[in-house]
Every structure is written in structure tokens, then in C-alpha cells.
Amino acid sequence: MEKQPIEQLQKICTQLRRDVLRMVHAVQSGHPGAPLGCAEFFVALYFDQLHHNPDFQMDGKGEDLFFLSNGHLSAGWYSVLARSGYFPVEELKTFRKLNSRLQGHPATHEHLPGIRVASGSLGQGLSVAIGAAQAKKIDKDDSLVYVLMGDGELQEGQVWEAAMYGAHFGVDNLIATVDYNGQQIDGPTDKVMDLKNLKAKWEAFGWEVIETKDGNDLKAVLEGLEKAKSLTGKGKPILNLLYTEMGYGVDFMVGTHKWHGSPPNDEQLANALGQLEETLGDY
Amino acid sequence: MSLDLKFTYTEKKDTRSGFGDGFLEAGRKNPNVVGLCADLIGSLKMGAFQKEFPERFFQTGIAEANMIGLSAGLALGGKIPFAGTFANFATGRVYDQIRQSVAYSNKNVKICASHAGLTLGEDGATHQILEDLGMMKMLPHMTVINPCDYNQTKAATLAIAEYEGPVYLRFGRPSWPIFTPADQKFEIGKAWKMIDGKDVTIFATGHLVWEAVVAEAMLREEGISAEVINIHTIKPLDEEAILESVAKTGCAVTAEEHQINGGLGDSVAQTLIRHNPAPLEYVGVNDSFGESGAPTQLLEKYGLNAENIVKAAKRALERK
């Protein structure tokens, strides 16, 4: 895929936000907050960073892979997959509906292109990503594996099993990003279960840690991912702490956990869409 | 008393060694076969593979949840991962990881579970899982296999390497008679009628197939003709073989080293109740945990040996 100027990528971010809001509104269920906060990440990854093939192959040999461990961000992932050509944009209207390939949380059983493993039950994606990265190492395939986790998700013990393992085996073809928005369903992470110093934690586990301080600034996200890429192949797995704001892009949704798992009503949707220009055409 | 056994043995060996030897052979046949183990390489007999193929083997440490996720990732990259640990930690501890990353995602992962059942012995109930077959057979996409001796376990290990899809392979710790042939062909989902009979059918799986062979000889001495069918694959269940046998004998016994709830007996009962309701008696653990002891002592105390199969067969016959 040809690289696009940042102004164009910015437009895709806006459209992704519109897609997410319209999808969760249409079915009155789903999780709008976190995918709104990760729009820049999704777009930077799929439209700039990943060497990938929308003509989907499950084994992904010779291409970069992405895993969404925090599967409740499905609306954002489906939007970016559709907008980058994995399946028709029209299909976004089936999100969470009966007989859809776009399950509430990502699944493989209906063979939706772009999805390689189910996610939703938290804490499992890093392990899967490391396994896929090791398969690449066995095959001497020098492409990379990416995974996104939520910060609240780091409360799951399996994540730290995987963290220990990734460093032990020097899985240095892996870039794990944490959506560091400080929010989870029941409230701010520091109230629910304080994550304390995540940078120090990951470093203590033997990872190379970078911080992307403004995860809703597209330029910063791109620079962070470039930096992460430059650190691969040096014996350590990479952890990208991506500071985002949940609900970013809509003034009444930003910075709160209240829109983690709640859809907007008609009036709220109209208000939100009024703040987001339709750039690529709604589905 | 010397019994006239239809199957005999000259050697005893643990089924986990059958797995280890089969795993090594599968690795030699197919370079995509890889191994993982959660700090039980010696117990699982995976060391020979690790030594021969160090770049295809991953010691995960004591972290089974991670091991299952890693296996799913390796599988989607085209590898055939054999993930080994004790049956307890391979199922109950990681049920959700298996459910989402392996079964629902339909990944070609082989979950290799040793030290299953009471015959684990002295370690006691914390390690003697008796619910694993039930948990695994409930998962869509999952194939569930429980072979009976060293040779059958080795053959099963080779067979699952060739099969595409998630598999739960259950085996054990104790030294056990080797009474099936070394050159057997293992057909997943195909029951094996080992002994022909006409009065009662014994459906047995795992270590208790040997007890069923002994029970058949004991019943024969009393003039009762028992058919013995080796159900090495719990899922998919060979319903045709079950119905064909019970159509002839008219009653049956199931024998397994597992809870009666959720085990082979449940599966056979479901089949019979739908097609041919016939008297069925269960030999299995009856809603209790195990305890420490020698394997044969435990099988006796919990009612899982040949004598108990004989009693169950007589109960079934009386109900005909």
C-alpha cells in the first residue's frame, strides 16, 4: 500500500470515529470509548506501518500481523479493516447483528478477513502474538507481529506470564502496545486496581519500553511506531505505552469511563457526528 | 486363579512414554511439529524431542495459560504445537484460554495431558483430575482421545499430528500392561471391538480397557459372554459401533477413570437413550475427589477395577 500524507490519514481517523459511533448506535450495544481513543493508532498501523495483504491469508507468512487482545475495541478494528480493503465497508452495518461475520467480539469461525484468533476474554492476545512471532522466527520470516492490549487488561495474570516469556526467549520481532487511557468499565484504573508504574514494570520484566505521550496526535503515534520498529531485532520485545484519551474526538465522551460500554442515543449520536466530518463517505 | 485372557502382555510401560516416543517420531516426520511444556518435560517424556529439535521446543515455565495462547499463535503461523502438562493444569486451569484461543478459534493445537485420573497415585486429589474429559468434550471443535496403553498412545500421538484441528490427548503416569499391537493403525473416532461377545457390552476407555479385558475373562468363567469395545475417542463418538453392539447384547457397562458425571458413560447414555434405550451401568468415580495411594489400590477403593466391571455387567444383565 502506498504511503499517504498525514492529512489524508487524519481524515481516515475521523471517518473511523464516525463508523464506530454509527455501528454501536445502530445496534445499541458495544464499546465506543476505547476505539475512539485508538483511532490514530489503528489508522497509523494499517495505513502506514503494517506490511500487510488485505487479500487475507490466515498464516500471514511474509507479512506483518496484528492481534487485538482487547477484543471489545472490535468496532474500531472492523472499521479500519474495511477501510483498508479486507471486506466491503457496507458490511459494517451488520455489526453485532444476527448472522454477521462482525461478531460483538472478534471471531474467526465465520472467516472474517483480518481476524486470526478470537479475543474478548481478556489477557490472551499477548500470548498468541508471541506464539505467532515465534512461528515467524522458526520460518526465518523477518516481518513483525503487533498486538494491542488495554491498560485495564494488564490486571490479568496471563499477561505477565507472557511478559516473562517474551523477554526470556528474546522475542524481538514483536511490538506490543498498551492503550494507556487510565479507564476501565468500573472506573479509573487507579481506583479499580492501580497499575502503578507500568514503564518500570515492563522494564523489570525485560522489555524495551517506549512511551508515546500523545496517543491521539497522529504524528506522535507514527513516530512512536517508527521508533518501536527501529528497536526490533535487538534481543528484546518492545512495549509501546500509548497514552490516549478514552472517547477522544467527541467532547462529551472524552476522558471518562462512562462511554466504555454504552452506546449513544439518537440525539447524542447527532451531536457526536456533528463534531466529526464525514471524510470518506459513511457506509 | 489363572484367567484365560484374550489379550496378554509381556511388558508394562507408562502411556506417557508412548506419547513421548510418538511425539519424537511425529517431529521427525513433520518439521512443522513443535513442542511446548510447562516445566514438566521429564514427566511428559518430551525430553528426547527437545534434545533433537531444540529450535522447535519451548519451555514455558510454570505458566499454562500462556502456553495455550502461545500454541494458538504458533498454530496460526502454520506450526503443529503439542502443548504438554499434567491433565489438571492442561484443562481446568486453562479452560477459558482453550475455549477462546483454541476451540472457538479452531486452531490446530494438540493439548497433551499426562497424569490423568486416579492412577496418578500418591500426589493425591489436587492432581488427580477426573473431570477433564467432560470439560473437553463440551467444547465445539474439540476432539477428545484417551488411549489405553503404550502402543495405542504412541499410535494416537502420530495420528493427531496428521489431523487438522484441536485435540485433547489424555494419558497417564502408571506402568501399565502393553496389550495392543505395536503396529496398530489409529483411526480417530473409530471404536475398536477387541473381543466379541453376545450377553453384555463393555465400553471402556484409557487404563480401564485393560480392566475390561480382565473382566471379560472373569465373566466368561461364569458363562457370561461379554463384548469389549475400546472407545479411545470420546469425541467424536463412534455411535454406530455402540448401537450395533448393544443391538446384539441388549445391555452395557461403561468403564473409565473419570467422574461418571460428564464422562464416557454420559456420552454412551446419550446415544442409547436416543436410539436404543437399554440397561446401562457405569464404572467410574461417583461424584467424589480422589486421594493419595498406589494406583491399583485407588482403582480398587473407588470401584474402578475388573471386579467392579464384572459386578456392573451382572447388574446390567439383570435389568435386561
Side-chain angles (χ1 to χ4, degrees):
Chain A
M1 191 177 293
E2 212 167 298
K3 295 245 181 192
Q4 303 191 41
I6 197 159
E7 298 74 29
Q8 181 58 27
L9 298 182
Q10 198 68 62
K11 287 182 179 171
I12 304 172
C13 293
T14 310
Q15 189 65 51
L16 183 147
R17 291 192 163 96
R18 287 182 69 91
D19 288 348
V20 166
L21 289 164
R22 295 179 68 243
M23 287 162 75
V24 299
H25 170 264
V27 68
Q28 282 298 298
S29 77
H31 301 79
L36 289 177
C38 286
E40 283 77 17
F41 172 80
F42 280 130
V43 171
L45 197 65
Y46 273 84
F47 284 86
D48 189 88
Q49 292 286 303
L50 284 184
H51 297 280
H52 65 121
N53 180 9
D55 183 14
F56 181 68
Q57 300 296 321
M58 176 56 82
D59 64 15
K61 286 190 195 295
E63 53 176 316
D64 296 335
L65 308 182
F66 172 70
F67 295 96
L68 183 75
S69 187
N70 43 350
H72 56 280
L73 275 68
S74 54
W77 195 19
Y78 296 153
S79 169
V80 80
L81 284 170
R83 298 281 171 189
S84 47
Y86 279 80
F87 55 85
V89 174
E90 271 298 284
E91 201 169 338
L92 294 177
K93 69 170 58 152
T94 70
F95 175 62
R96 281 182 171 246
K97 291 181 177 161
L98 194 63
N99 300 320
S100 172
R101 300 196 290 179
L102 278 59
Q103 291 291 299
H105 293 84
T108 57
H109 72 299
E110 297 297 340
H111 308 291
L112 184 69
I115 314 294
R116 292 189 165 86
V117 72
S119 60
S121 173
L122 294 171
Q124 302 186 28
L126 183 59
S127 302
V128 175
I130 292 173
Q134 289 196 298
K136 286 195 176 294
K137 280 187 176 279
I138 293 171
D139 290 341
K140 308 208 182 318
D141 171 349
D142 61 4
S143 44
L144 299 175
V145 177
Y146 293 80
V147 59
L148 179 66
M149 293 176 280
D151 50 0
E153 181 177 11
L154 303 185
Q155 291 156 3
E156 289 282 4
Q158 186 184 347
V159 173
W160 302 100
E161 294 183 7
M164 203 181 292
Y165 179 97
H168 179 82
F169 278 91
V171 183
D172 58 5
N173 53 344
L174 175 82
I175 298 171
T177 295
V178 172
D179 176 20
Y180 202 1
N181 59 23
Q183 304 288 344
Q184 57 190 111
I185 287 191
D186 274 353
T189 51
D190 60 358
K191 295 281 191 298
V192 175
M193 182 53 58
D194 200 341
L195 302 163
K196 301 285 184 187
N197 190 336
L198 279 186
K199 182 167 187 284
K201 278 194 171 72
W202 285 94
E203 283 173 348
F205 273 79
W207 287 55
E208 186 69 45
V209 180
I210 66 163
E211 293 184 281
T212 304
K213 289 286 192 182
D214 189 350
N216 294 117
D217 178 78
L218 190 51
K219 188 159 168 286
V221 174
L222 286 164
E223 282 168 5
L225 288 170
E226 280 296 340
K227 186 177 176 193
K229 194 181 280 188
S230 74
L231 293 168
T232 58
K234 299 187 194 304
K236 285 184 175 184
I238 317 298
L239 193 282
N240 176 23
L241 273 179
L242 182 77
Y243 292 71
T244 67
E245 290 211 67
M246 185 175 271
Y248 188 87
V250 178
D251 58 7
F252 63 91
M253 291 184 166
V254 73
T256 165
H257 66 276
K258 297 198 172 68
W259 297 93
H260 185 292
S262 306
N265 61 27
D266 294 351
E267 193 184 330
Q268 290 161 335
L269 177 71
N271 182 353
L273 293 180
Q275 303 173 38
L276 298 161
E277 191 192 349
E278 184 181 345
T279 51
L280 304 184
D282 288 338
Y283 61 82
Chain B
M1 180 178 75
S2 158
L3 284 168
D4 172 27
L5 296 167
K6 296 279 189 186
F7 286 80
T8 55
Y9 68 94
T10 53
E11 193 190 352
K12 286 183 168 186
K13 221 172 182 178
D14 43 16
T15 51
R16 58 183 162 150
S17 288
F19 162 69
D21 292 347
F23 177 46
L24 177 62
E25 201 173 312
R28 287 174 176 161
K29 279 185 171 172
N30 187 339
N32 283 324
V33 169
V34 301
L36 304 95
C37 188
D39 196 33
L40 290 167
I41 293 169
S43 298
L44 271 283
K45 307 291 182 189
M46 296 175 98
F49 182 104
Q50 183 193 30
K51 195 167 171 221
E52 193 163 321
F53 306 108
E55 75 289 355
R56 285 158 51 194
F57 193 86
F58 305 100
Q59 162 69 274
T60 69
I62 310 163
E64 296 82 8
N66 185 44
M67 178 171 73
I68 296 300
L70 293 167
S71 301
L74 284 158
L76 70 86
K79 305 301 162 200
I80 307 170
F82 282 64
T85 182
F86 287 175
N88 188 24
F89 316 135
T91 55
R93 190 180 184 90
V94 293
Y95 196 69
D96 185 48
Q97 284 77 11
I98 294 174
R99 182 175 179 275
Q100 174 171 285
S101 293
V102 176
Y104 185 40
S105 297
N106 208 9
K107 293 289 173 261
N108 192 19
V109 172
K110 315 305 171 188
I111 298 161
C112 305
S114 186
H115 293 55
L118 291 173
T119 55
L120 163 82
E122 293 79 357
D123 276 345
T126 54
H127 289 49
Q128 291 162 340
I129 195 155
L130 295 163
E131 307 86 38
D132 55 324
L133 295 176
M135 282 190 278
M136 290 297 117
K137 81 178 187 185
M138 278 198 293
L139 289 171
H141 295 157
M142 187 66 75
T143 291
V144 181
I145 297 174
N146 184 27
C148 67
D149 70 353
Y150 169 91
N151 283 337
Q152 193 173 56
T153 307
K154 186 176 174 188
T157 305
L158 287 161
I160 65 173
E162 311 254 318
Y163 166 83
E164 173 86 26
V167 174
Y168 179 67
L169 179 68
R170 179 202 221 219
F171 42 92
R173 176 176 180 267
S175 186
W176 209 248
I178 304 177
F179 59 102
T180 70
D183 61 352
Q184 67 190 279
K185 179 166 163 44
F186 189 90
E187 285 187 72
I188 295 170
K190 188 91 185 135
W192 173 21
K193 190 204 290 183
M194 299 183 73
I195 301 172
D196 253 312
K198 57 182 177 49
D199 299 329
V200 56
T201 309
I202 305 168
F203 297 109
T205 190
H207 290 130
L208 292 206
V209 176
W210 172 252
E211 298 297 324
V213 166
V214 175
E216 184 275 336
M218 292 163 73
L219 287 163
R220 187 159 19 95
E221 285 198 337
E222 299 185 48
I224 297 167
S225 165
E227 182 147 300
V228 175
I229 297 189
N230 178 335
I231 310 277
H232 51 65
T233 308
I234 310 291
K235 186 186 168 194
L237 189 68
D238 189 347
E239 294 201 325
E240 201 181 315
I242 289 167
L243 292 170
E244 188 185 307
S245 179
V246 176
K248 177 175 64 175
T249 62
C251 67
V253 173
T254 56
E256 61 194 311
E257 198 181 343
H258 190 272
Q259 298 289 351
I260 291 171
N261 257 336
L264 168 68
D266 256 9
S267 292
V268 172
Q270 283 181 38
T271 304
L272 294 181
I273 207 84
R274 278 183 288 119
H275 301 285
N276 177 15
L280 175 68
E281 292 287 330
Y282 301 117
V283 171
V285 176
N286 189 12
D287 202 24
S288 78
F289 291 100
E291 65 182 81
S292 292
T296 49
Q297 290 176 326
L298 289 164
L299 291 183
E300 186 181 347
K301 176 165 178 178
Y302 287 83
L304 268 60
N305 59 11
E307 286 75 16
N308 286 283
I309 296 174
V310 167
K311 285 181 199 161
K314 289 179 180 170
R315 289 197 305 271
L317 278 163
E318 280 169 20
R319 290 170 52 201
K320 272 218 269 193

